[in-house]
Each structure stands twice: as structure tokens, then as C-alpha cells.
Amino acid sequence: MTTRQAKLKKDFLEKYKDAKTELKYKNNYELLIDIILSAQCTDKRVNIITPKLFKKYPNTKKLAQANEEDVKDIIKTCSFFNNKAANIIKMAKTVEEKHNSKIPNNEKDLILLAGVGQKTAHVFLGEAYGENFMAVDTHVFRISKRLGFTKAKNVLNAEKDLVRVFKTDLNTLHQAFVLFGRYTCKAITPLCSECFVFNDCKSKDKIK
Ligand code: SF4
């Protein structure tokens, strides 16, 4: 890690030491569903949809028995709701059949669940258990390129670069980068004039 990268890591960890996901959840079941639904959808939208979903299906047992059309109807304002409805029901069935009604706590089992890829598993394990995992979504990808942490062309390679550079505190950095990308280093109009890493950013003059 370069001196500059170490300084940025320290700055982000200080500023976002209490960073938490903006998804609303009460347990690991709700958290995993939130994360699945949030793919290509906003956390705000997910938080609007899920109270009704969790009221009707409060656990994997209930969701495993759900009528797919009913679930679709509840989550229909979420992007890709057809696939997501099918996936969360399938996920619940697998958790019932193979995991004794408990959401798995390891990557190997998580990524075998419907709708759960590596990114979802990493976000889940980082949030639920504070495990040292990085996950790269659109915000993390954008700010990592702007701040020069990676030159990767895809999120998986970007994740490898971030893990290699930062090594520890990856779950906190992930959440910090998400919030920073969502509210400060925004895609179209980044708020450079109020950015706390302005002096360390080489992209600020290149973004129109
Ligand atoms: S100075 Fe602007 S482009 Fe650079 S990290 Fe901050 S908000 Fe993003």
C-alpha cells in the first residue's frame, strides 16, 4: 500500500467509522432478502417494499410456501422483480431443506442459494458478521477508479485490487465507499467542492 493509499484508508475509516447499511432489517433472513432485492435497485425502494413482504413472510418457512405471483405483486416496483421473486422463494426453500431454517454464515453455502452471488455473499457476511470482505457495486467501482485504487474494467477485478491494496477493514471500507459514492462522489455531479479527500483526488478536474 502506498503512503497515499494508507492515508486515504485512514481518512475513510475515521470519517465513516460508524457506517452502516441503509437497508432496514431485523435479522439475517431480512438482511439477505434486502441485499438480493437491492441489486440494480435503490435501498430506499427496497425499504419501501419490504415491510409488507416481511409481514406476510416473516421467515424462510413461510416464504418457502409462498405463491410466486403474490410475492411478485408485493415487490413489483423493484427492478427485475420476476426473477427476484422466484429467487427469494427458491432461496427460502433451500434454507429450509438444507440449513435447518438458518441463513448460512459462510460464503461457500451462501453462493449456492438462488439469487446470491459473490457480491451478495460478501455484503451479507460483512454486514451480519463484520467479516473482512470487500464487495464492489456501482458506487464502489466508480470511486475506486476516480481515486486510483484500481484500473480494472470489471467489478470482480476491482474487488481483487481493493483486497490487495487495503487487506483489512474491508467491510467498513465497503460501506464507507458505498455511502461516499451515493452522497458525495456521485456519478453525474460529484460534490468535489465539499469532498473530504479533495486534495488526494486526481480525478476532480477531469469530471465534467
Ligand atoms: S474530489 Fe470529486 S471526483 Fe474526487 S473523490 Fe471527491 S467527489 Fe469524487
Side-chain angles (χ1 to χ4, degrees):
M1 192 174 0
T2 64
T3 310
R4 176 180 164 278
Q5 288 165 340
K7 179 183 179 299
L8 282 166
K9 178 179 179 181
K10 187 167 161 286
D11 289 348
F12 269 97
L13 289 176
E14 269 173 24
K15 184 163 178 71
Y16 290 95
K17 61 180 180 297
D18 300 321
K20 285 252 164 252
T21 178
E22 294 184 314
L23 293 165
K24 295 202 172 101
Y25 68 97
K26 292 197 288 295
N27 51 49
N28 285 353
Y29 161 73
E30 294 187 0
L31 174 62
L32 185 60
I33 289 184
D34 279 355
I35 299 170
I36 293 171
L37 295 182
S38 71
Q40 318 229 352
C41 186
T42 63
D43 288 4
K44 208 180 259 184
R45 167 67 37 206
V46 172
N47 288 336
I48 291 170
I49 291 166
T50 47
K52 191 171 175 191
L53 183 73
F54 296 148
K55 189 161 184 227
K56 188 157 186 187
Y57 310 108
N59 48 45
T60 47
K61 187 173 180 197
K62 290 278 184 202
L63 186 59
Q65 296 160 358
N67 176 299
E68 195 171 313
E69 292 307 312
D70 291 344
V71 174
K72 278 185 197 172
D73 192 53
I74 294 172
I75 68 166
K76 65 184 175 214
T77 57
C78 188
S79 54
F80 304 106
F81 68 94
N82 284 316
N83 282 346
K84 287 176 180 174
N87 279 338
I88 60 175
I89 293 171
K90 206 168 161 201
M91 175 279 288
K93 284 181 179 158
T94 307
V95 170
E96 282 300 298
E97 286 161 12
K98 297 194 173 160
H99 300 288
N100 201 21
S101 309
K102 288 202 175 63
I103 304 294
N105 62 0
N106 63 81
E107 183 176 5
K108 184 171 128 296
D109 289 330
L110 279 166
I111 60 173
L112 293 176
L113 299 175
V116 181
Q118 178 180 295
K119 183 176 73 145
T120 301
H122 284 189
V123 175
F124 176 82
L125 291 168
E127 178 69 23
Y129 298 102
E131 289 199 22
N132 189 40
F133 279 112
M134 176 53 68
V136 178
D137 70 357
T138 179
H139 299 300
V140 179
F141 193 41
R142 181 176 65 256
I143 76 112
S144 297
K145 287 195 288 187
R146 284 181 180 170
L147 285 170
F149 300 147
T150 182
K151 290 182 179 157
K153 299 269 190 292
N154 61 59
V155 293
L156 286 180
N157 285 334
E159 183 186 311
K160 283 183 196 155
D161 285 341
L162 292 172
V163 171
R164 183 178 46 75
V165 170
F166 294 117
K167 293 184 176 57
T168 60
D169 301 298
L170 298 177
N171 55 318
T172 309
L173 285 172
H174 159 77
Q175 200 52 59
F177 292 164
V178 169
L179 295 176
F180 178 66
R182 191 174 286 162
Y183 296 111
T184 303
C185 192
K186 300 193 270 188
I188 313 277
T189 48
L191 308 180
C192 299
S193 62
E194 55 193 72
C195 176
F196 79 111
V197 291
F198 182 87
N199 292 333
D200 291 302
C201 177
K202 293 173 186 158
S203 302
K204 55 186 176 269
D205 300 325
K206 297 179 194 143
I207 301 165
K208 299 289 176 223

